[in-house]
Amino acid sequence: MMQRAKRLTCCPITLTFTFSWNSLCFHSAAKIEDHQTLYRVLEACKHSFNSGTATQTHARIIKFGYGAYPSLVAILISTYAHCHRLNLARRLIHQVFSWDFDLVSVNIVIEALMRIGECNFAKKVFDKMPTRDTVTWNSVIGGYVKNARFEEALTFFREMLISNVEPDAFTFASVLTGCARLGALNHAHWVHDQLIQKKIELNFILSSALVDMYSKCGAIQTAKQVFESVRRDDVSVWNAMIHGLAIHGLGLDAIAIFSKMENEHVLPDSITFIGILTACSHCGLVEQGRKHFDLMTSCYSIQPQLQHYGAMVDLLGRVGLLEDAYAMIDLMPMEPDIVIWRALLSACRTYGKPELGEVAIANISRLRSGDYVLLSNIYCAVKRWDSAERVREMMKKTGIHKNRGKSWVEFKGVIHQFKAGDWSHPETEAIYKVLEGLIKRIKLEGFTPVTELVLMDVSEEEKEENLNCHSEKLALAYGLLKTSPGTDIRVSKNLRICHDCHCWIKLVSRVLGRLIIVRDRIRFHRFEDGLCSCGDYW
């Protein structure tokens, strides 16, 4: 990718070349002809925090004339940062510009830094650039999206619009994806308007991204309208629509789209069937799921992969067919991954099957906090308190903490984020006042907090207090505080919504006459008039 490699004659970091290499490195006498070997050595240094070998490798890079390779510059910066040698990382960034790198080379440095997750250093390089082109902006915006820093990606997009550089289709592909992941509908409408104003021609990538964005922002009807208005000769557009319907719990609609796809002679691919099986899973459509799983091989010669088996295990587990789900795992032609075992574990929690849950746990090599919590909840559900306590003690000993829930709501183009028990928001007092009043009102309507799965070693009152401060309740209270009666409220959450919050928000929707849409980690919940679109099945 480089047009030339410059040999640096003067570097303040250069060290002697007489040193000992460990088993991951090459011998000092060896002739290095491949810069990728140097890259791998630096990666090893980065993960082992070996700054000494990193600086020695840096010297080798210069000796063999690879000093101006952007990918090596990027991994060096990252390695020095991980080894807490920030002065060397900053010095390298400064040297990038003293070496008279051309624009193409600097763009590659930014892209390489983003690829390895070094957003802050990529921004430092970006800030120092005297000139930037569309590729520069795309590398930064796309990098922030890939590193799940969506708000920053949108901030850079706004800055790009006021610069003298025009966005292109690649820019919008990244920004649409960022909006989808953020779930912010106002941002989505604004970005779509910009796409139209800039007269960017829709290709199948942008069409798919638009459908996906509106689906994940909770506007499934708008997603359908976009789907009907664009060219649909590429399977990815159909896949976006099917998956969007799946996460909204519209399984029959997803199957109808699949039938329409066949009628328009667009061949499904493996991703299509993941969407269909997911749609069946969210709606308990067991026979339809089995039928489409069989269709893969019988009609389309598509061999089921891990994701397809995982979707089937999830489908069978959700409806309580745990033995069938376990049999599906047993018959798989490949080793099941942790996602499949976690799907079974989740079903065991729902249906109170501790023995099978223990089998799932035994097959998960790297237990996360959620796995421990699920197993603890299984024991609680069947009143095996001692077993639940042992799980929590195990979490303490291994230093594992329960993932903290966070929820966010968009208001006037600004994302407001809340954690459980959060007091950091500028309007905290007003938010809690709204929430307390709402909790009292919902209790008068007969609501009883679902406290069974809260830690046992606290009083019932403390359990309720714990539930009352969940992040989605705080986000909803803020939405109620800032919007007028009758306005829809959209809340996004990083974890699955808990049973207590689900029951509570259903009642809130009826009492206040509000449409409340909650996007959790699994799917959308549309609360209206005391009911949820999931049918209490999630």
Side-chain angles (χ1 to χ4, degrees):
M1 296 174 72
M2 281 289 298
Q3 296 175 346
R4 63 188 182 278
K6 302 172 185 173
R7 186 184 298 272
L8 303 183
T9 57
C10 180
C11 177
I13 308 169
T14 304
L15 302 176
T16 179
F17 302 118
T18 56
F19 50 78
S20 298
W21 293 94
N22 61 26
S23 59
L24 291 172
C25 300
F26 41 78
H27 295 295
S28 60
K31 182 180 178 183
I32 306 303
E33 297 179 350
D34 185 0
H35 73 278
Q36 293 179 352
T37 303
L38 291 157
Y39 188 97
R40 288 193 292 272
V41 171
L42 287 170
E43 275 194 320
C45 294
K46 172 181 171 180
H47 295 299
S48 61
F49 307 104
N50 189 339
S51 62
T53 302
T55 52
Q56 293 167 352
T57 308
H58 190 174
R60 284 259 168 176
I61 288 170
I62 295 163
K63 178 181 178 181
F64 287 100
Y66 294 124
Y69 272 51
S71 60
L72 288 177
V73 171
I75 191 65
L76 268 170
I77 292 169
S78 180
T79 301
Y80 284 142
H82 277 254
C83 294
H84 306 292
R85 302 293 298 275
L86 295 179
N87 59 324
L88 299 184
R90 295 190 190 100
R91 192 181 301 174
L92 261 176
I93 292 173
H94 177 74
Q95 287 175 344
V96 164
F97 296 96
S98 66
W99 295 337
D100 193 29
F101 265 32
D102 58 23
L103 182 58
V104 172
S105 299
V106 181
N107 284 343
I108 296 172
V109 170
I110 290 176
E111 193 276 332
L113 284 167
M114 285 295 189
R115 189 171 59 248
I116 57 180
E118 297 291 352
C119 298
N120 294 337
F121 281 109
K123 184 179 182 300
K124 289 181 187 297
V125 175
F126 176 86
D127 290 340
K128 282 180 170 289
M129 294 178 71
T131 58
R132 302 162 184 145
D133 61 5
T134 304
V135 175
T136 313
W137 287 96
N138 287 352
S139 297
V140 172
I141 293 168
Y144 273 111
V145 170
K146 288 172 185 173
N147 285 284
R149 294 169 65 166
F150 311 118
E151 289 182 74
E152 287 159 288
L154 286 169
T155 298
F156 270 96
F157 178 61
R158 291 178 189 276
E159 290 179 13
M160 183 182 187
L161 292 178
I162 60 176
S163 72
N164 59 353
V165 180
E166 284 294 310
D168 60 12
F170 293 102
T171 318
F172 279 100
S174 293
V175 175
L176 291 170
T177 301
C179 283
R181 297 288 296 277
L182 197 57
L185 187 58
N186 289 339
H187 283 80
H189 285 307
W190 173 72
V191 171
H192 193 181
D193 287 343
Q194 292 296 322
L195 180 72
I196 295 168
Q197 287 178 29
K198 298 294 181 182
K199 298 181 180 178
I200 303 293
E201 185 178 351
L202 290 182
N203 54 28
F204 71 89
I205 295 173
L206 291 177
S207 297
S208 304
L210 276 170
V211 172
D212 183 62
M213 177 184 71
Y214 280 119
S215 297
K216 289 179 178 173
C217 288
I220 192 64
Q221 293 304 322
T222 307
K224 288 180 180 178
Q225 291 168 9
V226 171
F227 174 77
E228 293 296 339
S229 68
V230 300
R231 285 184 58 180
R232 299 190 298 272
D233 50 358
D234 191 275
V235 67
S236 63
V237 181
W238 295 87
N239 290 347
M241 190 71 257
I242 288 171
H243 184 74
L245 292 165
I247 62 175
H248 280 268
L250 300 170
L252 294 177
D253 289 10
I255 292 169
I257 290 291
F258 182 83
S259 299
K260 186 175 181 178
M261 181 181 186
E262 290 180 310
N263 294 337
E264 294 192 18
H265 308 293
V266 178
L267 284 175
D269 61 11
S270 62
I271 297 172
T272 312
F273 283 98
I274 292 172
I276 286 292
L277 295 176
T278 301
C280 292
S281 178
H282 284 317
C283 299
L285 302 174
V286 177
E287 294 311 311
Q288 287 281 12
R290 292 187 195 271
K291 171 189 168 184
H292 284 88
F293 185 80
D294 293 338
L295 276 178
M296 291 175 63
T297 50
S298 62
C299 291
Y300 299 102
S301 300
I302 298 173
Q303 290 302 315
Q305 301 301 312
L306 265 174
Q307 296 96 322
H308 303 103
Y309 283 103
M312 284 301 296
V313 169
D314 190 51
L315 166 60
L316 295 168
R318 282 175 185 271
V319 296
L321 298 173
L322 271 69
E323 295 303 325
D324 288 5
Y326 186 62
M328 173 73 72
I329 294 174
D330 200 39
L331 293 172
M332 285 172 55
M334 71 283 289
E335 284 293 315
D337 64 358
I338 58 174
V339 175
I340 289 175
W341 288 114
R342 282 181 179 138
L344 182 64
L345 180 62
S346 180
C348 290
R349 192 270 301 170
T350 302
Y351 292 98
K353 298 288 185 180
E355 290 78 14
L356 196 52
E358 288 165 357
V359 172
I361 281 286
N363 282 279
I364 299 174
S365 57
R366 290 188 177 183
L367 293 172
R368 296 180 182 173
S369 63
D371 304 320
Y372 286 106
V373 170
L374 279 174
L375 185 60
S376 175
N377 288 349
I378 292 170
Y379 290 138
C380 288
V382 295
K383 296 182 168 47
R384 285 175 55 178
W385 310 120
D386 290 343
S387 298
E389 185 61 33
R390 279 199 301 274
V391 173
R392 287 196 291 275
E393 285 299 322
M394 196 182 307
M395 288 179 70
K396 290 178 184 176
K397 287 179 182 177
T398 53
I400 294 176
H401 302 282
K402 183 178 178 181
N403 286 340
R404 196 172 182 189
K406 61 180 179 181
S407 301
W408 57 97
V409 62
E410 181 188 24
F411 179 67
K412 291 187 176 180
V414 178
I415 305 298
H416 297 265
Q417 185 171 287
F418 302 88
K419 294 180 181 178
D422 202 345
W423 281 85
S424 63
H425 194 278
E427 297 181 77
T428 289
E429 289 188 14
I431 292 168
Y432 274 93
K433 188 174 181 180
V434 169
L435 182 57
E436 287 167 12
L438 192 55
I439 288 168
K440 289 177 182 177
R441 185 171 175 184
I442 298 304
K443 269 197 171 184
L444 290 174
E445 294 291 327
F447 177 75
T448 302
V450 184
T451 60
E452 287 85 350
L453 299 181
V454 180
L455 292 175
M456 299 175 301
D457 55 351
V458 295
S459 68
E460 202 66 22
E461 184 179 342
E462 288 174 299
K463 288 181 182 181
E464 286 191 29
E465 191 173 330
N466 176 291
L467 293 169
N468 289 341
C469 295
H470 278 192
S471 62
E472 54 266 58
K473 289 179 179 174
L474 291 170
L476 176 56
Y478 180 76
L480 292 170
L481 175 68
K482 305 303 287 189
T483 59
S484 55
T487 309
D488 300 348
I489 298 176
R490 287 176 166 81
V491 175
S492 295
K493 181 175 172 63
N494 67 325
L495 304 175
R496 284 180 75 174
I497 188 171
C498 76
H499 187 52
D500 177 79
C501 287
H502 192 270
C503 295
W504 188 79
I505 296 174
K506 279 200 302 181
L507 202 50
V508 170
S509 72
R510 179 171 66 79
V511 169
L512 299 185
R514 292 283 196 111
L515 171 63
I516 303 166
I517 299 172
V518 177
R519 184 185 81 168
D520 72 5
R521 185 175 60 83
I522 301 295
R523 57 166 296 155
F524 276 89
H525 299 265
R526 183 184 176 95
F527 299 94
E528 192 170 15
D529 197 26
L531 300 173
C532 179
S533 60
C534 75
D536 298 338
Y537 180 82
W538 83 100

